[in-house]
Amino acid sequence: MNTEILKIVGDVTADSAGLRRAANIIKRGGLVVFPTETVYGLGADATNAEAADKIYSAKGRPADNPLIIHVARPEDAEPYAVLGDMYYRLAEAFMPGPLTVILTARDTVPSKTRGGLPTVAVRCPSSKIARELISLSGVPIAAPSANLSGSPSPTSARHVIDDMMGRVDMIIDGGDADIGVESTIVRINPDDTLTLLRPGKITPSELSALGAKVDISDAVLDKLPEGQVAESPGMKYRHYAPKAPVVLLDGDLEKIVKYIINDEKAGHNKAALCYTEDMEELSHRLPEVYLFDLGSRSDALERAHRLFGSLREADKHSFDIIYAPLPEKCGVDLALYNRMIRAAAHKIIKL
Ligand code: AMP
Ligand code: MG
């Protein structure tokens, strides 16, 4: 298939003809990759089962992993999901923004879009390009991350082009994603408590500040035992993994250096993701190891912004192994922890 690349620089109104073309593709049941503030999304008309099906094929995504539907305004989800008081409290606090809410679906959302579940995931992105595209399309846009299934999510148009050229009708290049990790996903339970299904920029403590009780689904922090059903189906799949094996090291810098030097069975071509503050010291102590600057130890947002780009960059070299420090389990670091244990297929070494 021929893929048009539409570059939008600055104000979205600068290319309204291009965005109208993109919206027409969505209306006709085609696929458009568009930028959001979290990562790039692979979009299709959420109300059209055949269009949603094309998303699964283009990504190679398992059919039981449901899609998030994107709306231009929180209240636009009304025809597609049962919205209660808690939804509007969350919307007031965090929308438009990087929050996805799981709600009871109405049958206007085809089962294909929902991965066969009775619920539907709703998000109102803050990206102007995304909101304009949804408004012009006149339908909610189903959009998972625009990567091939299993790969790190795309945070720049270059990443999207690498994965999706020839698989979609259009790619809108809106520059680098602001946040760089996917949205926080919460389910609203019948008693109005919240369950965190995927951590993101919006943290559990920001959610509890609303007065709601928030618990964290088991799959966020651990590997699910064989046979247990994932509350968010995406959490059970291998994810974010570069080609080389990733190993997470849980210990201080001294122990990490010793481990990397002594890890002889790992092969010669080693890489390490490290904090900016440690880059200089490590370049002297580990001269044979290729170092990636993850961002500052004290700035989880910067590290979130860089993580997927670094994992993709690592794929351009044929490393035998990639080491990374284990992130904390709080604040925005919880999102990094959740993504990195998946990139590492849960291989954590306690030093
Ligand atoms: P992606 O947009 O590729 O980051 O993936 C969307 C994520 O949302 C996946 O992890 C899905 O499992 C999750 N998701 C979508 N719909 C639902 C739902 N109805 N219930 C629980 N999780 C969902
Ligand atoms: Mg994804």
Side-chain angles (χ1 to χ4, degrees), residues 59 61 145 147 153 182 239:
K59 274 181 70 83
R61 184 177 178 102
S145 51
N147 51 286
S153 298
E182 306 87 341
H239 221 312

Side-chain angles (χ1 to χ4, degrees), residues 12 22 36 38 40 63 92 95 106 157 169 187 192 215 230 279 291 298 302 327 338 343:
V12 292
T36 83
T38 56
Y40 274 77
E92 176 78 28
M95 292 182 198
R106 299 191 196 276
D169 298 287
R187 184 182 62 214
D192 268 0
D215 59 26
M279 284 291 285
L291 303 179
S298 61
E302 179 182 40
N338 171 268

Side-chain angles (χ1 to χ4, degrees), residues 32-259:
V32 175
V33 175
F34 60 98
T36 83
E37 70 279 19
T38 56
V39 301
Y40 274 77
L42 167 51
D45 177 354
T47 64
N48 175 341
E50 273 170 42
D53 200 33
K54 289 185 192 165
I55 293 181
Y56 289 91
S57 315
K59 274 181 70 83
R61 184 177 178 102
D64 68 347
N65 192 1
L67 310 174
I68 295 173
I69 73 166
H70 294 70
V71 291
R73 297 172 309 167
E75 60 272 29
D76 292 349
E78 200 75 64
Y80 309 102
V82 181
L83 313 181
D85 178 52
M86 180 52 86
Y87 172 82
Y88 280 108
R89 278 164 65 193
L90 289 167
E92 176 78 28
F94 303 111
M95 292 182 198
L99 181 72
T100 296
V101 183
I102 308 295
L103 300 156
T104 301
R106 299 191 196 276
D107 51 19
T108 42
V109 186
S111 170
K112 187 85 219 170
T113 305
R114 295 184 260 132
L117 295 176
T119 49
V120 62
V122 173
R123 171 160 127 77
C124 174
S126 65
S127 151
K128 285 213 176 78
I129 296 177
R131 294 231 304 285
E132 186 67 14
L133 174 65
I134 302 162
S135 295
L136 290 171
S137 302
V139 286
I141 297 186
S145 51
N147 51 286
L148 291 173
S149 199
S151 298
S153 298
T155 57
S156 74
R158 180 73 254 162
H159 300 161
V160 175
I161 290 166
D162 287 345
D163 280 17
M164 288 296 155
M165 208 56 195
R167 292 171 173 265
V168 298
D169 298 287
M170 186 191 269
I171 294 171
I172 303 176
D173 174 354
D176 281 358
D178 246 15
I179 298 174
V181 289
E182 306 87 341
S183 57
T184 301
I185 304 183
V186 284
R187 184 182 62 214
I188 303 176
N189 300 311
D191 61 356
D192 268 0
T193 58
L194 303 176
T195 301
L196 181 76
L197 302 183
R198 179 173 73 185
K201 178 170 185 257
I202 295 171
T203 61
S205 49
E206 285 177 285
L207 292 164
S208 8
L210 278 188
K213 182 176 170 297
V214 183
D215 59 26
I216 297 182
S217 168
D218 290 345
V220 167
L221 293 170
D222 291 306
K223 189 174 179 171
L224 282 178
E226 215 50 58
Q228 186 171 323
V229 177
E231 294 180 289
S232 180
M235 286 288 156
K236 72 180 178 219
Y237 293 107
R238 178 175 176 275
H239 221 312
Y240 314 118
K243 294 182 190 100
V246 177
V247 173
L248 296 177
L249 300 176
D250 182 11
D252 61 26
L253 188 63
E254 214 38 58
K255 288 183 177 152
I256 289 180
V257 169
K258 281 207 185 94
Y259 183 88

